[in-house]
Amino acid sequence: MNKNKLVFANWKMNLNSNKVRLLVEGILSKLKPQDSVDVVLAPPLPYLGNVNAMILGSGIELSSQNVFWENDGPYTGEVSVKMLLDMGCSWAMIGHSERRQYLLETNEMINKKVLSSIKKGLKVILCVGESFEQRRRKKTFESIADQLYRGLRGVSEDLIPQIVIGYEPIWVIGSGEAASVNDISSVHNFISDELKSMFPSAKLLPRIVYGGSVNTDNISQISKLHNVDGVLVGNASMDCDKFCDIVMKVVK
Ligand code: PGA
């Protein structure tokens, strides 16, 4: 893994096969391969195969929005690392706040998913973020540290380059308004310091990307902040023009 900037598109449970096709066609025709930016698409699970077939050879990478920690067996509805690799995924998104909230994913479950993924060669974007209530009670740093320590427990330093941290303050996700640059900066600096103390002899620490209402207006300001290695984009990533504009502004 490298220190390229990263732009990660999270389409969540949206679109359909036709819309996915049109969106990927649009992205492929507008975006020229970039040396300095990694672009990753995370479509809904049923469309992974379609997207994989379309992006082959383009330099764009494929991610799932979730993964299970066992290889195979009686785990109805779940998908293993092996299956995702087989479908052409090189990434898994783990611990998104919507999964923590609606699927009751715990840090322990998230940790098993992280370990299983990186050991088998999948790159991981581990999402962390504080709720509005935690921020109001000045528990932001405590909550982020807890998610980092418990989510990354047992990760060996040689596998660290496979991990990216996605910082997503929960209350700004989908709100249309990103966190302030000061808030983003202070949490990213905090995460960077925590990672340094967790993995003191790692040669390369995880990249840290920001997510939460990233759009074409705020991207330039956000992406040039120190310790911001890219962005995780939800709503704006489903609009071809907006998404490509975001990528191009990160390149600059
Ligand atoms: P948003 O979503 O850009 O729509 O706020 C980001 C995310 O949840 O990953």
Side-chain angles (χ1 to χ4, degrees):
M1 177 135 8
N2 48 55
K3 268 289 180 184
N4 274 358
K5 292 266 183 182
L6 174 67
V7 181
F8 207 101
N10 177 14
W11 296 342
K12 309 190 180 187
M13 197 177 73
N14 291 304
L15 308 172
N16 57 33
S17 56
N18 197 40
K19 287 182 176 158
V20 164
R21 183 179 54 77
L22 292 173
L23 182 53
V24 177
E25 274 173 8
I27 293 171
L28 289 172
S29 71
K30 275 199 116 179
L31 270 192
K32 300 289 153 268
Q34 302 296 335
D35 286 341
S36 57
V37 180
D38 298 335
V39 177
V40 185
L41 306 179
L45 185 70
Y47 310 130
L48 283 176
N50 308 14
V51 175
N52 183 46
M54 294 181 77
I55 61 175
L56 275 180
S58 69
I60 294 177
E61 295 176 86
L62 186 66
S63 178
S64 69
Q65 299 175 11
N66 180 37
V67 64
F68 192 63
W69 55 82
E70 295 291 350
N71 265 338
D72 36 41
Y75 307 102
T76 303
E78 293 299 326
V79 176
S80 70
V81 176
K82 221 169 56 173
M83 291 169 185
L84 292 178
L85 289 167
D86 190 29
M87 290 304 287
C89 284
S90 45
W91 289 84
M93 191 188 317
I94 298 179
H96 191 282
S97 60
E98 287 149 14
R99 295 197 59 84
R100 293 180 192 254
Q101 183 182 351
Y102 301 118
L103 283 301
L104 307 183
E105 283 193 7
T106 63
N107 285 308
E108 288 62 40
M109 293 159 77
I110 287 162
N111 180 242
K112 286 193 207 175
K113 294 178 181 206
V114 169
L115 291 175
S116 162
S117 298
I118 57 175
K119 282 180 186 159
K120 295 181 188 104
L122 214 45
K123 291 178 272 192
V124 159
I125 179 160
L126 168 64
C127 301
V128 299
E130 80 285 6
S131 65
F132 183 71
E133 190 52 21
Q134 285 166 330
R135 176 158 285 266
R136 199 182 62 76
R137 289 175 27 235
K138 306 214 176 320
K139 300 275 185 204
T140 297
F141 295 129
E142 195 180 309
S143 141
I144 302 284
D146 186 54
Q147 291 169 62
L148 286 176
Y149 279 86
R150 290 160 71 190
L152 295 174
R153 182 171 287 157
V155 169
S156 60
E157 290 197 339
D158 57 315
L159 295 179
I160 283 292
Q162 276 169 248
I163 296 177
V164 167
I165 304 299
Y167 167 57
E168 298 205 302
I170 297 171
W171 82 97
V172 302
I173 294 175
S175 71
E177 193 159 344
S180 72
V181 284
N182 283 346
D183 287 343
I184 297 173
S185 231
S186 67
V187 177
H188 277 244
N189 290 338
F190 173 78
I191 293 174
S192 169
D193 290 344
E194 289 298 295
L195 292 170
K196 276 180 206 149
S197 72
M198 288 169 77
F199 304 105
S201 42
K203 286 199 189 71
L204 201 56
L205 286 165
R207 288 178 284 180
I208 309 166
V209 304
Y210 168 78
S213 296
V214 170
N215 59 38
T216 51
D217 295 328
N218 58 29
I219 182 62
S220 301
Q221 251 197 328
I222 294 172
S223 75
K224 58 174 175 291
L225 293 173
H226 180 59
N227 281 327
V228 172
D229 301 307
V231 283
L232 176 48
V233 193
N235 277 325
S237 71
M238 291 181 284
D239 177 309
C240 177
D241 289 345
K242 288 183 185 163
F243 182 65
C244 294
D245 193 34
I246 288 171
V247 175
M248 295 319 293
K249 285 181 171 156
V250 169
V251 173
K252 278 184 195 150

